[in-house]
Amino acid sequence: MSLEIEKVKNLIIGSGPAGYTAAIYAARADLKPVLYTGLEPGGQLTTTTDVDNFPGYPDGIQGPKMMVELQQQAERFGTDVRVGMATSVKFSSKKGGFHIVTIDDKKEIHAKTVIISTGASAKYLGIPSEQRLRGGGVSACAVCDGFFYKGQEVAIVGGGDTAAEEATYLSKICSKVTMLVRKDHMRASKAMQHRVRASKNIDLRFNTEIDKVLGEQVVEGLRIVNNINGKKEEIKISGLFIAIGHKPNTDIFSGQLDMDSDGYLITNGKSTKTNIHGVFASGDVQDKEYRQAVTAAGTGCMAALDAERYLAELQ
Ligand code: NDP
């Protein structure tokens, strides 16, 4: 069965700050962008609360609200925002050729330019007891699921800014938060560490890892291990939050676009150009260093400008 085909000048995959900013610029440059949102419209910021570090909001803004406003701004200039998932790609190696992106295995978009802003997804520890209890008390999003553990004891794994932010958030809802950090120090910024230490009901444990998540149907506790002396201990909790970083969403581009050893797309110098003519990457999918909403938005703008220049060169 042949799939429906639609030809476009500019296709944007992903709906985080990078995708929407690319859309604002592409639409204003009359590239008539079509944007597919992916499975999580609005991206990672829809699972966060206060965004206090995006310029222009002196009192901060809620992440989900900011994403709705970014979408509205992109639509105001004519971006065609659609719900759908890119399921496979076939990029043209010829300059000026059409790149084929299949949506939901149902439709083919043939695009002169493609901007990839597919972001990154939460990582899990990968131990069997954790995997088995995903959805049964194991979560990678405190802001989404913390409410279910109101007044209860929970644990969080990780020592970065996400873990620190989520631990602080949980400490306001839950009776106690045990924070497990595998090293003897946290990677989080000093300001975030300070917030963790100032929260009286966060029990911060260094050099500590999870040996097993306990419970049959739902999380009932953890067996934790001190990685210096090997001492094991069981603690009772009803929710476990994993905050150990993210994996770039690049599986469908494997074998076609250059990636680093962690799967992040490689862009050329200061630009957003990938190794394929007319295919550009912006946001967390190509940035494992800064990973901020504002830097993602910045590279989204760059990708749209790169796409516009590429199309102008073809004429
Ligand atoms: P990070 O990669 O910065 O931190 C991951 C943390 O998880 C580290 O402490 C790491 O330990 C730990 N970890 C990784 N794997 C395991 C494992 N298997 N078992 C136990 N612990 C593990 O990720 P984040 O998501 O925290 O942050 C990503 C980026 O987003 C950063 O640049 C951060 O600054 C930024 N950010 C900014 C925020 C803000 O400004 N408001 C909020 C949230 C994130 P180790 O140190 O030992 O490797």
Side-chain angles (χ1 to χ4, degrees):
M1 195 186 74
S2 60
L3 302 181
E4 181 194 343
I5 292 174
E6 180 182 356
K7 289 194 171 179
V8 302
K9 261 200 237 181
N10 176 241
L11 173 69
I12 299 169
I13 314 175
S15 56
Y20 282 136
T21 306
I24 292 165
Y25 276 77
R28 286 167 62 87
D30 208 24
L31 304 191
K32 306 209 168 1
V34 170
L35 180 152
Y36 277 93
T37 60
L39 279 185
E40 191 179 51
Q44 289 179 63
L45 279 179
T46 56
T47 61
T48 194
T49 48
D50 299 319
V51 178
D52 282 332
N53 50 12
F54 200 90
Y57 297 102
D59 301 318
I61 183 166
Q62 294 288 302
K65 184 163 192 275
M66 182 170 134
M67 295 320 299
V68 168
E69 290 184 354
L70 272 174
Q71 177 177 343
Q72 288 168 346
Q73 193 174 354
E75 285 175 332
R76 186 176 133 219
F77 299 109
T79 305
D80 186 348
V81 177
R82 303 175 186 173
V83 176
M85 182 85 183
T87 42
S88 65
V89 296
K90 197 169 163 215
F91 293 136
S92 168
S93 53
K94 206 177 90 208
K95 190 167 183 183
F98 275 103
H99 303 295
I100 302 174
V101 178
T102 306
I103 306 294
D104 295 327
D105 295 321
K106 285 190 188 130
K107 174 173 185 160
E108 278 184 3
I109 302 286
H110 292 205
K112 279 274 174 193
T113 58
V114 179
I115 296 175
I116 299 169
S117 313
T118 47
S121 299
K123 280 191 203 164
Y124 285 84
L125 299 171
I127 56 175
S129 54
E130 171 215 46
Q131 292 301 307
R132 191 168 51 77
L133 289 164
R134 273 176 69 173
V138 175
S139 162
C141 179
V143 177
C144 320
D145 300 327
F147 178 77
F148 300 119
Y149 305 96
K150 198 171 176 194
Q152 301 173 37
E153 297 195 8
V154 298
I156 185 159
V157 192
D161 279 322
T162 303
E165 189 175 81
E166 297 202 340
T168 313
Y169 173 82
L170 289 167
S171 72
K172 292 175 188 148
I173 306 172
C174 304
S175 57
K176 182 180 173 187
V177 181
T178 303
M179 184 167 180
L180 308 172
V181 180
R182 67 179 174 183
K183 288 198 177 132
D184 65 358
H185 61 275
M186 289 169 74
R187 197 193 288 193
S189 63
K190 289 281 178 281
M192 294 303 295
Q193 290 192 36
H194 179 70
R195 280 197 216 171
V196 168
R197 290 174 203 276
S199 306
K200 289 201 170 55
N201 60 343
I202 297 181
D203 178 11
L204 187 53
R205 308 243 191 147
F206 290 104
N207 293 117
T208 307
E209 295 178 45
I210 294 179
D211 186 42
K212 191 175 179 192
V213 186
L214 307 173
E216 283 305 313
Q217 305 299 322
V218 293
V219 173
E220 290 168 12
L222 292 179
R223 188 161 70 220
I224 54 177
V225 55
N226 181 302
N227 60 24
I228 301 287
N229 59 23
K231 205 175 144 218
K232 290 186 182 169
E233 183 190 337
E234 287 191 3
I235 59 169
K236 275 193 159 187
I237 53 151
S238 46
L240 172 64
F241 293 89
I242 312 290
I244 61 169
H246 291 81
K247 175 187 176 298
N249 296 319
T250 53
D251 289 353
I252 60 167
F253 311 116
S254 171
Q256 297 191 58
L257 295 182
D258 290 346
M259 299 176 192
D260 71 8
S261 56
D262 293 322
Y264 286 87
L265 297 183
I266 294 174
T267 49
N268 187 351
K270 274 200 317 186
S271 80
T272 62
K273 294 175 189 167
T274 68
N275 55 304
I276 298 279
H277 289 296
V279 178
F280 308 91
S282 63
D284 286 11
V285 75
Q286 52 83 57
D287 172 23
K288 64 177 167 191
E289 198 177 335
Y290 300 104
R291 295 183 289 194
Q292 299 299 302
V294 66
T295 50
T299 56
C301 157
M302 289 162 63
L305 295 177
D306 285 341
E308 186 188 353
R309 284 173 196 158
Y310 170 80
L311 287 169
E313 270 173 32
L314 293 179
Q315 281 167 4

